[in-house]
Amino acid sequence: MSQETVTITDNRTGQSIECPIKKGTHGPDVVDCQTLYKKLGMFFFDPAYITTASCESRITFIDGEKGILLYRGYPIEQLAEHSDYLEVCYLLLYGELPTKEQMGDFKGSIYQHTMLHEGLLDFYKGFRHDAHPMSMLVGVVGALSAYYPDAMDIGNPEHRKMSAVRLIAKMPTIAANSYKYLIGHPYVYPRNNLGYVENFMHMMFSVPKEEYQFNQTAIKALEIMLILHADHEQNASTSTVRLAGSSQAHPFSCVAGGIATLWGPGHGGANEAVIRMLQQIGTPKNIPLYIKRFKDKKDPTRLMGFGHRVYKNYDPRAKIIRNVCHTLLQELDATQQPLFEVAMELERIALSEDYFIERKLYPNVDFYSGMIMSALGLPLNMFTVLFAVARTVGWIAQWTEMMEVPDMRIGRPRQLYLGSKQRDYVSIEQRGI
Ligand code: CMC
């Protein structure tokens, strides 16, 4: 069968090019227009890359219309039910579910790297006492390459693997240390007899005089949250990691860029923003006033935790996490808390208002994840940090995939220039005359 193509014609000149159509395993076909500039001297205009496929990937698939999310082909619902976070990490990194032996080796290598170089602990002291932990995360992760120079050759697959393991292993420690630094408590060292999630909670909440008491429903809730946030194909932070990596930068620096991008309230910062919004609303009786503001185009206030660039019917992660959230809050006897009451009433009203229905604005994963973290006693400014811990595997898996492409080229978007036409320099004496 001959290659299917799309013809692009410049109606001003009649010149045409044939662009090959590429087909994926799932999802819309893509038109390969790499020759557009060479042949027609034009670029595509696609701000925010709404219709641009920036790479080929075999890691994660999203169908935003049907509400489908697959990691390496496995539905997120099945992974959330049957898997654990480290198994999902293995799957995302290596493409297949591990055998028992592979899983044992992988866990062993993660546990071997959970500690931080002691020099890095001093690094924290340079931060102000009230720094946002996300800013610490950007700094400390960026500084990792200064402490682990033994795996700097990104052309070496073993070095790449080591960097991936180190990032996944150390991220909970870096995150928990940021919190301990802020509250002035001593850092709690990781313990290898604990699972990944338990270890994080231990480093966050144990103190030298008292061990953290684990609640299995809480651990399970956090485990599911990590699984749901582990990867989300070419979102803003992942695209940042890929773009930075395309210049051959070290993955620790690329991931620091990803963390910085994640911090924004339009992306990972939304879970924190949801709770701030719920606190601001305060009580269900104030909701109608806020709904009015969310709909008012002159008012920049948005209903945080609602809407998604890709999911236009529902966010499958939100469906899973909503149940987790209800179970946890019931077990913790927290359903009567004003925050939860406001959230449930807001959800009910927003889902029945024309404004939100017409625009396909449904609760996203962050609407519920914030409530879970709040119920677990995690401070507000740590919410996005936890998202970053979860997403680290996605970033490093996507970076690794990109590095394995034989003809990988540096990323370089183009622009539509609307500035001044070329003009000659005017000396300062001549200006304004
Ligand atoms: N509240 C009120 N109106 C909204 C909202 C909202 N949360 N989201 C979108 N709209 C309106 C928007 O004003 C526009 O209206 P109109 O067509 O009349 O101009 C319409 O819905 C389409 O919005 P958009 O901005 O074109 O949608 P987008 O796909 O560019 O933005 C979004 C997606 C997630 C940035 C946006 O929905 C938003 O700001 N949501 C709140 C923040 C949030 O919860 N972010 C977390 C996303 S999930 C986590 C992750 O995967 O990173």
Side-chain angles (χ1 to χ4, degrees):
M1 201 179 78
S2 63
Q3 165 83 60
E4 289 176 283
T5 59
V6 162
T7 307
I8 299 178
T9 306
D10 181 344
N11 289 329
R12 299 165 305 178
T13 60
Q15 247 188 319
S16 294
I17 58 164
E18 295 289 309
C19 298
I21 294 175
K22 290 184 159 196
K23 289 187 179 297
T25 323
H26 290 301
D29 297 339
V30 303
V31 184
D32 181 349
C33 318
Q34 291 181 76
T35 57
L36 181 75
Y37 177 62
K38 210 168 165 188
K39 301 229 174 110
L40 296 185
M42 284 188 280
F43 298 131
F44 276 113
F45 186 59
D46 185 20
Y49 313 121
I50 287 176
T51 50
T52 296
S54 61
C55 61
E56 290 178 354
S57 183
R58 291 173 172 77
I59 301 176
T60 294
F61 173 74
I62 299 173
D63 184 326
E65 295 301 325
K66 296 193 185 130
I68 292 172
L69 170 60
L70 311 175
Y71 291 166
R72 299 286 190 181
Y74 295 102
I76 192 67
E77 293 81 3
Q78 292 181 22
L79 292 170
E81 191 178 345
H82 303 296
S83 191
D84 63 36
Y85 179 68
L86 281 186
E87 188 179 65
V88 167
C89 287
Y90 186 99
L91 175 69
L92 287 169
L93 280 174
Y94 306 122
E96 296 296 335
L97 287 168
T99 61
K100 267 191 184 157
E101 198 189 346
Q102 287 167 332
M103 195 60 225
D105 290 348
F106 182 64
K107 277 192 175 159
S109 62
I110 294 289
Y111 292 163
Q112 208 186 327
H113 291 281
T114 49
M115 276 179 28
L116 296 184
H117 189 292
E118 289 286 310
L120 255 181
L121 299 184
D122 292 336
F123 195 84
Y124 283 89
K125 290 190 190 134
F127 293 108
R128 252 177 74 122
H129 64 93
D130 55 355
H132 195 290
M134 279 301 279
S135 65
M136 293 198 212
L137 213 61
V138 174
V140 176
V141 171
L144 280 178
S145 42
Y147 292 90
Y148 302 98
D150 58 323
M152 291 298 286
D153 179 5
I154 56 166
N156 179 333
E158 285 310 311
H159 284 206
R160 294 202 290 264
K161 217 166 157 180
M162 175 54 80
S163 296
V165 164
R166 278 190 173 136
L167 273 167
I168 296 166
K170 292 184 196 306
M171 202 58 124
T173 318
I174 295 172
N177 284 2
S178 313
Y179 174 61
K180 289 294 191 189
Y181 175 75
L182 286 183
I183 58 169
H185 283 187
Y187 304 123
V188 174
Y189 284 81
R191 273 191 16 209
N192 285 358
N193 63 335
L194 297 175
Y196 192 83
V197 177
E198 279 108 324
N199 202 17
F200 174 67
M201 293 301 266
H202 157 70
M203 290 188 286
M204 281 287 293
F205 295 120
S206 287
V207 285
K209 59 191 173 62
E210 206 172 300
E211 287 282 308
Y212 175 70
Q213 297 301 312
F214 297 107
N215 168 325
Q216 283 316 314
T217 312
I219 298 298
K220 182 73 189 158
L222 217 50
E223 184 99 43
I224 291 178
M225 258 189 51
L226 293 187
I227 293 174
L228 300 184
H229 286 86
D231 194 42
H232 216 219
E233 52 117 308
Q234 310 312 320
N235 56 83
S237 57
T238 303
S239 296
T240 303
V241 171
R242 277 189 179 257
L243 193 55
S246 77
S247 77
Q248 314 275 334
H250 191 273
F252 294 155
S253 322
C254 302
V255 168
I259 295 168
T261 310
L262 186 76
W263 192 1
H267 194 2
N271 48 24
E272 184 178 335
V274 167
I275 300 296
R276 289 195 196 283
M277 175 192 73
L278 295 178
Q279 286 171 341
Q280 212 183 352
I281 296 174
T283 147
K285 78 173 176 8
N286 293 335
I287 291 177
L289 187 83
Y290 276 88
I291 294 273
K292 226 167 142 185
R293 290 187 62 185
F294 299 143
K295 296 194 294 194
D296 182 357
K297 292 289 160 213
K298 288 188 218 104
D299 190 327
T301 318
R302 280 193 164 192
L303 172 50
M304 299 312 289
F306 267 67
H308 199 275
R309 168 58 56 80
V310 180
Y311 296 121
K312 295 301 179 194
N313 276 317
Y314 71 91
D315 177 342
R317 304 166 303 168
K319 215 171 174 184
I320 300 167
I321 208 169
R322 185 182 192 277
N323 294 338
V324 173
C325 179
H326 277 258
T327 311
L328 180 72
L329 291 176
Q330 259 151 25
E331 172 151 341
L332 301 179
D333 222 6
T335 48
Q336 301 306 312
Q337 281 183 10
L339 203 82
F340 187 66
E341 279 182 357
V342 173
M344 290 305 103
E345 184 58 7
L346 199 58
E347 184 199 51
R348 192 190 64 75
I349 295 178
L351 288 176
S352 56
E353 285 261 346
D354 285 348
Y355 174 93
F356 298 96
I357 295 169
E358 281 159 13
R359 288 168 181 76
K360 300 189 170 182
L361 299 171
Y362 297 88
N364 58 48
V365 67
D366 289 320
F367 188 71
Y368 303 103
S369 65
M371 275 185 283
I372 291 183
M373 288 189 274
S374 173
L376 295 182
L378 287 157
L380 210 50
N381 58 8
M382 285 298 288
F383 288 11
T384 315
V385 171
L386 208 80
F387 190 162
V389 170
R391 184 55 58 84
T392 297
V393 65
W395 290 326
I396 195 68
Q398 299 269 350
W399 176 86
T400 305
E401 181 179 66
M402 182 183 74
M403 294 306 295
E404 285 168 356
V405 172
D407 55 352
M408 195 265 288
R409 299 169 73 195
I410 187 166
R412 180 63 168 86
R414 305 305 290 254
Q415 64 172 9
L416 173 65
Y417 175 70
L418 297 174
S420 300
K421 286 201 165 156
Q422 181 172 337
R423 48 189 173 164
D424 290 326
Y425 182 81
V426 180
S427 71
I428 198 160
E429 293 77 21
Q430 298 298 312
R431 287 173 219 161
I433 294 172

